[in-house]
Amino acid sequence: MTSEETADRIERRREGLSHWKWLTGVWLILTAIIEPVIYFLIWPHLPPGNMTSSARGAQFDMMVLTMIAAPVMVAVLAYFAYALIVFRHPKGRPLVDGPPLRGNLRVQTAWITITSAIVMGAFVFGTYELIVPAGAGGAEGPSPIWTPASHTELPVQVIGQQWIWTYRYPTFGGFETTQLMLPNNTEIAFHVTSLDVIHSFWAYQLGVKADANPGVDDVAFTQTNQLGRITVRCSELCGIWHGAMYGYGEVVSPSAFETWAKAMERRLAPATRLLPPFAWTYTPSANGAGGGYYPQTDPYYDKTLYDQGRSGPEGNLPALRVEKSQRVG
Amino acid sequence: MPKAARLALALGIFVVAVALAVIGAMAYLRSNPPNVDYAAGHQSGQPVHLTIQTVGQIGFGAHPSWVSYLALAPDGRWVHSTLWQLPAHTLVDVTVYEYDTGGPLRNQVFGSVSGVIGDDYVLNGKPVRLLDSNSGNGVAHTFSVPALGINVPLWGVPSSAKNICAHAPCSFSSVHNVITFSFRTPGPGQYHWQCLIPCGAGFLDGNGGPMQSIGYMGGFLKVVDA
């Protein structure tokens, strides 16, 4: 190597170090700005809110992942902008390629180490958060890995059927209703099942999402810690009216919940007696249609309507007319 | 004509043909089933009378064996449609002529009447709040509007009857039940309603076919400003 080549190499290395210093400086400044913005300003507004322990957990996870991702994004964008400005090819000068990265052990080692650390960190953090702190609000099947320490949770059975959700409260006589009402500051155990196809119970503000499989008791835990309205949607395509399978619920004070539940238990007692005994799963008949019963046992039997074929019980209704296009034959 | 011009002309004709086909298909889909309009000409403060019937098989059209609802239009025609336009904030007096056989409910909770005025209805002259579908004729269908909390189970007719209607619109000479109830429409919007009985016989879980088709066992209450 000649002395000229050595001098050129040293000069290029000095230039390279200078670029790195600039880039690192810009990256550090931008990261120092964006990280507090995420922590203090964006975190409280990240979905799904903090209405329950699982929602708060999901919000925290999103904050951590956003804070990990933000410096990476800043680095990419800063390098992009820096390259556009500094490495711009001046008109009239010969095009010279930069130093090759291949064989550059320091760059390769740094790249593999940093990216592996980020991915492995996200993997360990995600796995821990999924299982350990609060069950993450996801369903854990009939034998949950994580269970709350209190063991005093309120069980609420969620039953999916095309295309509506119903809820059973086993600790209040097992009444069933289309209203989802929950007490505040209470550990809730959702037992999710289905009477027909696969649905998915997604209570957005609660941070709870659980598949509803027929014949399966899918358990998800959460603890309520804020009053408010809940939106429930089905998040598994379950037929043409899947989009209409939504409803609303509410987290109320424990005393209001107690009052509501006891009133519902009393009011719905006749209907509850017709329900199957409470179970974690049900095996419904394949099809409710068919009949097979006889008017002798019919409490609503009306001889006029059933047997005589008279021209209608209410004389003031309009006469039945058949539209021509609807006739057959 | 130059080759490029011929190509452009052919392309233009193709685009116009595709556009016409799409517009035609959309127009057909939007017009079928038709909208039964109870809001037009409605006088404010007056109730709307909605008369409907449920039949075990429609007897005509593309799916003659399917269960279905029909509505009596204001001009006195029975219309095969489940899209009913109603005025907002108005009392709706509903009369249902139920012509289908029934059976046990998959979920007995839908044997309860809810969301209608007084939380009960009149079935063949008797007030009813709850139907036991495991006895008698069972429940044939429900009229349920989940967003409004409305659920009205419709008692079935005896399957042993000799005069079961097999072709809609059914007349009073066929065995039937008469159900009356009232509800109040909310503000403007489209409210999906459906039958919650899996009555699509022959389909998976009874929930295919008519259960998934507008015009048969589900539709919309199109509530509009009066």
Side-chain angles (χ1 to χ4, degrees):
Chain A
M1 191 179 288
T2 64
S3 60
E4 267 184 20
E5 281 173 339
T6 310
D8 183 49
R9 202 173 161 187
I10 290 167
E11 180 58 29
R12 286 174 74 171
R13 191 167 176 182
R14 193 176 293 140
E15 252 184 61
L17 279 172
S18 168
H19 290 313
W20 274 115
K21 277 179 191 166
W22 267 105
L23 267 171
T24 309
V26 169
W27 176 73
L28 278 173
I29 291 166
L30 289 176
T31 301
I33 293 168
I34 204 163
E35 293 289 75
V37 168
I38 293 168
Y39 189 85
F40 291 107
L41 298 180
I42 297 177
W43 181 16
H45 303 289
L46 284 173
N50 58 0
M51 202 168 178
T52 61
S53 56
S54 48
R56 184 177 288 170
Q59 196 181 44
F60 173 76
D61 296 346
M62 286 189 72
M63 180 273 291
V64 171
L65 293 175
T66 307
M67 288 192 74
I68 291 172
V72 178
M73 187 191 74
V74 166
V76 171
L77 292 179
Y79 183 76
F80 182 61
Y82 190 86
L84 278 176
I85 297 162
V86 179
F87 302 141
R88 209 174 173 81
H89 177 230
K91 277 184 182 172
R93 284 180 58 180
L95 190 64
V96 182
D97 200 3
L101 280 177
R102 189 169 180 173
N104 189 326
L105 193 63
R106 283 170 63 185
V107 170
Q108 288 176 348
T109 306
W111 183 266
I112 290 168
T113 306
I114 292 168
T115 54
S116 299
I118 292 171
V119 172
M120 290 306 291
F123 166 72
V124 171
F125 172 76
T127 307
Y128 175 82
E129 287 290 293
L130 190 64
I131 299 169
V132 181
E140 304 178 67
S143 307
I145 300 169
W146 180 89
T147 53
S150 65
H151 294 294
T152 55
E153 65 268 9
L154 173 77
V156 177
Q157 185 171 49
V158 180
I159 303 171
Q161 56 246 283
Q162 288 173 315
W163 291 273
I164 195 167
W165 296 106
T166 55
Y167 308 94
R168 271 191 100 166
Y169 292 80
T171 48
F172 291 89
F175 74 82
E176 186 172 345
T177 172
T178 52
Q179 291 174 272
L180 176 61
M181 202 72 85
L182 300 172
N184 197 17
N185 298 318
T186 307
E187 194 80 52
I188 311 288
F190 287 108
H191 291 261
V192 184
T193 190
S194 167
L195 296 183
D196 39 51
V197 298
I198 300 172
H199 303 276
S200 184
F201 171 70
W202 180 27
Y204 173 76
Q205 288 86 352
L206 301 184
V208 171
K209 202 173 194 181
D211 279 353
N213 294 288
V216 176
D217 172 32
D218 208 4
V219 185
F221 298 99
T222 196
Q223 184 177 359
T224 53
N225 50 32
Q226 201 178 85
L227 303 176
R229 198 167 151 86
I230 309 159
T231 309
V232 176
R233 288 196 171 275
C234 178
S235 62
E236 180 75 38
L237 186 59
C238 59
I240 200 163
W241 295 120
H242 160 71
M245 195 170 168
Y246 66 90
Y248 302 97
E250 206 167 347
V251 177
V252 296
S253 69
S255 59
F257 172 79
E258 194 79 6
T259 307
W260 172 82
K262 284 184 173 163
M264 290 297 275
E265 185 180 357
R266 271 195 309 276
R267 201 182 123 207
L268 296 178
T272 306
R273 280 195 285 276
L274 298 179
L275 296 175
F278 184 84
W280 296 121
T281 62
Y282 304 96
T283 310
S285 62
N287 194 327
Y293 298 93
Y294 298 95
Q296 285 77 9
T297 59
D298 182 0
Y300 309 103
Y301 174 69
D302 187 314
K303 192 172 176 59
T304 308
L305 300 175
Y306 283 13
D307 300 336
Q308 294 184 350
R310 279 174 42 172
S311 60
E314 279 125 4
N316 59 345
L317 282 170
L320 297 177
R321 278 167 47 191
V322 183
E323 197 178 19
K324 278 184 179 173
S325 63
Q326 294 183 342
R327 286 183 190 275
V328 170
Chain B
M1 189 184 283
K3 192 178 175 184
R6 284 205 305 269
L7 198 65
L9 183 65
L11 194 66
I13 291 169
F14 175 75
V15 168
V16 169
V18 169
L20 286 174
V22 169
I23 290 167
M26 292 301 291
Y28 173 75
L29 289 172
R30 285 177 64 83
S31 66
N32 191 30
N35 208 29
V36 186
D37 193 352
Y38 299 94
H42 168 255
Q43 289 187 330
S44 181
Q46 295 298 309
V48 168
H49 297 283
L50 173 63
T51 304
I52 52 183
Q53 66 172 262
T54 54
V55 295
Q57 47 185 21
I58 189 75
F60 58 82
H63 306 286
S65 64
W66 282 10
V67 289
S68 190
Y69 272 85
L70 291 93
L72 190 65
D75 63 1
R77 286 177 306 117
W78 282 104
V79 181
H80 183 210
S81 176
T82 52
L83 303 177
W84 307 330
Q85 191 152 307
L86 300 167
H89 308 296
T90 301
L91 184 71
V92 181
D93 292 327
V94 186
T95 302
V96 186
Y97 296 110
E98 204 295 302
Y99 287 93
D100 197 7
T101 55
L105 287 162
R106 178 171 291 167
N107 188 342
Q108 296 290 338
V109 79
F110 300 121
S112 297
V113 182
S114 65
V116 301
I117 291 172
D119 265 354
D120 59 5
Y121 68 33
V122 177
L123 166 59
N124 296 345
K126 300 182 181 91
V128 171
R129 185 162 287 194
L130 172 69
L131 290 175
D132 178 3
S133 70
N134 288 322
S135 67
N137 300 336
V139 172
H141 304 284
T142 70
F143 172 72
S144 308
V145 193
L148 306 183
I150 294 174
N151 181 66
V152 177
L154 305 176
W155 190 244
V157 298
S159 57
S160 60
K162 292 185 172 61
N163 54 341
I164 291 177
C165 178
H167 185 282
C170 302
S171 71
F172 289 139
S173 61
S174 294
V175 57
H176 63 284
N177 290 310
V178 182
I179 294 118
T180 55
F181 61 92
S182 301
F183 69 95
R184 189 167 284 280
T185 53
Q190 297 214 10
Y191 301 90
H192 169 245
W193 70 267
Q194 66 176 88
C195 169
L196 282 169
I197 313 278
C199 55
F203 293 90
L204 179 66
D205 289 317
N207 273 322
M211 287 292 287
Q212 307 223 13
S213 302
I214 290 180
Y216 291 87
M217 279 289 133
F220 284 92
L221 303 182
K222 296 182 169 182
V223 180
V224 295
D225 277 322

